[in-house]
Amino acid sequence: MQSAMFLAVQHDCGPMDKSAGSGPKSEEKREKMKRTLLKDWKTRLSYFLQNSSSPGKPKTGKKSKQQAFLKPSPEEAELWSEAFDELLASKYGLAAFRAFLKSEFCEENIEFWLACEDFKKTKSPQKLSSKARKIYTDFIEKEAPKEINIDFQTKTLIAQNIQEVTSGCFTTAQKRVYSLMENNSYPRFLESEFYQDLCKKPQITTEPHAT
């Protein structure tokens, strides 16, 4: 399943180009592209929903997991546009946002933010220390596999902080990444085809009464 995640159509982290010609054929081509993107979205979303169990918690059964991640109503989806926190507080919304970042090739931002949230909840000093090292090697150090885009000063501060680990080691970096997502990725997510599709209200057709 994971290999299917990389089948997304690559683009430049911005909205789809709408200037590619006009006329019936161009319109048909755009509609076909939209359907392809929506299909890719749903593939990625399905993956994140299936792999969204919290660290350290046993995975639930298939039936209970499906109940936990029911597709939101259009009204519930519209709430996500009111605040970034509303989106992150929804398990389905968070999975959808992760799928979106995956399509923009910047999923390391939300993965780092989630790792920090888990880190802050850790009580054991030994686990706190091992998690701090893992976060640093995964996201912070130079040429890390999921290196996030933060300034050198913040990286230096983190390197100093993890020498004597506390739950606030990554606070500054987490705030920067949160702000980056809120001001850049989040607005684009709200404009995406996938989110607009979730917000569509079903059309109610009424049959004309016989006279």
Side-chain angles (χ1 to χ4, degrees):
M1 171 68 83
Q2 193 166 4
S3 62
M5 307 281 289
F6 297 94
L7 297 176
V9 179
Q10 185 171 4
H11 52 88
D12 60 353
C13 290
M16 189 187 304
D17 183 12
K18 297 182 179 179
S19 61
S22 58
K25 286 187 177 180
S26 297
E27 186 66 29
E28 184 180 341
K29 189 175 180 180
R30 281 197 293 269
E31 286 302 317
K32 187 176 180 180
M33 187 180 293
K34 285 180 183 179
R35 289 194 296 270
T36 302
L37 288 173
L38 283 173
K39 186 178 179 181
D40 289 336
W41 262 94
K42 288 171 183 176
T43 300
R44 288 188 293 271
L45 176 59
S46 176
Y47 172 82
F48 284 121
L49 289 177
Q50 290 171 19
N51 295 273
S52 58
S53 56
S54 301
K57 290 185 179 181
K59 291 185 178 181
T60 56
K62 186 175 181 181
K63 186 176 180 181
S64 59
K65 182 168 284 190
Q66 287 175 342
Q67 291 173 342
F69 298 115
L70 290 175
K71 183 179 178 180
S73 67
E75 290 76 18
E76 289 171 323
E78 285 174 356
L79 287 175
W80 303 345
S81 66
E82 293 184 2
F84 188 37
D85 284 337
E86 289 283 352
L87 175 64
L88 298 181
S90 163
K91 289 183 178 181
Y92 195 104
L94 176 59
F97 187 59
R98 290 183 71 182
F100 174 73
L101 292 183
K102 186 76 178 177
S103 75
E104 293 209 326
F105 303 95
C106 51
E107 68 273 18
E108 68 276 0
N109 289 329
I110 192 64
E111 288 182 12
F112 172 72
W113 186 85
L114 289 170
C116 289
E117 287 296 288
D118 176 63
F119 176 77
K120 290 187 294 187
K121 296 172 185 174
T122 304
K123 303 298 181 184
S124 165
Q126 288 183 333
K127 287 185 178 180
L128 201 68
S129 181
S130 64
K131 286 183 178 181
R133 286 195 298 272
K134 180 167 176 55
I135 291 174
Y136 184 80
T137 55
D138 283 353
F139 300 101
I140 306 299
E141 68 180 1
K142 188 177 180 180
E143 297 183 1
K146 302 176 184 178
E147 187 176 3
I148 56 172
N149 185 18
I150 54 174
D151 59 89
F152 178 77
Q153 185 177 358
T154 303
K155 287 190 174 188
T156 303
L157 179 62
I158 291 172
Q160 295 171 353
N161 287 342
I162 63 173
Q163 299 305 313
E164 295 183 12
V165 179
T166 67
S167 60
C169 279
F170 303 101
T171 299
T172 301
Q174 187 183 15
K175 286 180 179 178
R176 289 182 186 277
V177 168
Y178 178 94
S179 178
L180 185 68
M181 292 190 295
E182 184 180 32
N183 294 317
N184 293 286
S185 302
Y186 173 57
R188 289 198 300 274
F189 170 76
L190 297 179
E191 294 175 357
S192 69
E193 295 289 339
F194 183 76
Y195 178 68
Q196 297 299 324
D197 188 59
L198 283 175
C199 292
K200 279 183 183 176
K201 294 181 173 64
Q203 291 183 347
I204 301 173
T205 57
T206 56
E207 294 183 2
H209 294 288
T211 55

